[in-house]
Amino acid sequence: MILNWRAVCGQCRACLRGRPWYCFDTHNATQRMTLASTGQELSPALGIGAFAEKTLVAAGQCTKVDPAVSPAVAGLLGCGVMAGIGAAINTGDVGRGDTVAVIGCGGVGDAAIAGANLAGAAKIIAVDIDDRKLATARSMGATHTVNSKETDPVEAIRELTGGFGADVVIEAVGRPETYRQAFYARDLAGTVVLVGVPTPEMKLELPLLDVFGRGGALKSSWYGDCLPSRDFPMLIDLHQQGRLDLGAFVTETIGLDQVEQAFERMHHGDVLRSVVVL
């Protein structure tokens, strides 16, 4: 069973139009979780919670998958891996023969690379400032890498795509600077997908004439525009067939008491994903 934070309602205007991945009224558990010791009400992150032995969710937040798959592997689909794969396949609509650039090669960016590879992209360009992350990106399916600390990523992506820019550029950082890079690194009618999450104070400034003149599409990707009941079992099946290496995202398994140290390793870029095993 994989937990998800998109339990669609089936009744909102998005669901009724056949677009449940845009559901405007996703469900969480109606009963609040409380601390056993004091009775204090808890506010679980994304309606699921984390770093706990037990949680309380709505039934629709549970997606059944083949129990033969490793729980450490399956659990990662619940958020970051699905966000990245979905950004490529669902939001970006990457197809066979496309050129794709991914800016930011953490867990979500690498999942986008894996998704683009799965969709049959001909060229996948990974962009980051850390050579270790670029090496991991290659193992996930990137055909080319660009260290944007040393090289202008827009020029590099254009050079690698015959001067045109990529068909799809996925921004997995969530900063105005990298979004501008994504905007100018796409083909004339290419697609930009923002899957990196900005902070509330961030602002973006672009010449409106450039937005008008370049055509294409500027999209944001929430949770990879996924439908858990559809996408989770499909991706688990692909993993079991050997076509999608979900295990590659698991750098280490840790105990619940090792979470703080794992965050420190993540901040230093030492791990892709640390998975808590109870």
Side-chain angles (χ1 to χ4, degrees):
M1 197 76 72
I2 303 175
L3 298 185
N4 71 79
W5 51 269
R6 174 163 284 164
V8 300
C9 72
Q11 299 296 322
C12 70
R13 60 190 185 279
C15 287
L16 293 176
R17 294 177 68 191
R19 301 173 183 173
W21 47 90
Y22 292 138
C23 179
F24 303 123
D25 191 23
T26 53
H27 293 310
N28 293 327
T30 53
Q31 180 180 335
R32 298 299 297 270
M33 284 196 291
T34 59
L35 283 177
S37 57
T38 65
Q40 178 185 346
E41 286 194 353
L42 302 176
S43 298
L46 298 173
I48 297 174
F51 310 134
E53 294 179 346
K54 296 180 180 179
T55 188
L56 186 64
V57 298
Q61 291 180 284
C62 301
T63 305
K64 188 176 181 179
V65 297
D66 190 335
V69 72
S70 161
V73 167
L76 288 179
L77 280 180
C79 193
V81 172
M82 183 69 254
I85 291 176
I89 294 177
N90 296 333
T91 316
D93 196 25
V94 174
R96 287 179 293 178
D98 281 351
T99 57
V100 179
V102 177
I103 299 177
C105 298
V108 173
D110 279 348
I113 289 168
N117 186 46
L118 188 65
K123 189 173 290 185
I124 304 171
I125 305 161
V127 180
D128 204 282
I129 59 174
D130 188 331
D131 285 331
R132 295 175 302 168
K133 291 186 177 182
L134 292 173
T136 302
R138 276 197 179 272
S139 72
M140 295 291 184
T143 58
H144 299 77
T145 58
V146 175
N147 187 321
S148 55
K149 188 183 288 186
E150 303 167 355
T151 306
D152 183 314
V154 177
E155 291 183 6
I157 292 168
R158 289 192 170 280
E159 184 176 340
L160 289 167
T161 54
F164 298 111
D167 297 308
V168 180
V169 184
I170 298 169
E171 202 277 51
V173 181
R175 293 194 58 85
E177 307 93 314
T178 44
Y179 189 89
R180 285 179 62 88
Q181 292 169 356
F183 179 83
Y184 287 107
R186 66 181 176 134
D187 199 355
L188 180 63
T191 299
V192 173
V193 176
L194 175 64
V195 67
V197 182
T199 54
E201 74 277 3
M202 289 181 179
K203 306 291 183 183
L204 176 68
E205 187 171 316
L206 285 170
L208 192 57
L209 186 60
D210 286 357
V211 176
F212 173 78
R214 297 183 65 81
L218 307 177
K219 297 182 175 183
S220 58
S221 183
W222 286 14
Y223 207 2
D225 286 339
C226 80
L227 186 58
S229 60
R230 174 196 66 192
D231 293 343
F232 288 2
M234 173 193 70
L235 294 175
I236 290 294
D237 285 347
L238 290 171
H239 170 66
Q240 292 176 313
Q241 294 167 22
R243 297 168 61 189
L244 176 63
D245 185 6
L246 293 175
F249 291 93
V250 183
T251 306
E252 61 179 2
T253 56
I254 62 172
L256 193 56
D257 60 348
Q258 297 172 298
V259 167
E260 291 298 332
Q261 300 95 311
F263 270 122
E264 192 67 24
R265 289 192 291 276
M266 182 186 71
H267 289 314
H268 285 95
D270 298 331
V271 297
L272 192 59
R273 283 289 183 266
S274 301
V275 180
V276 176
V277 176
L278 302 176

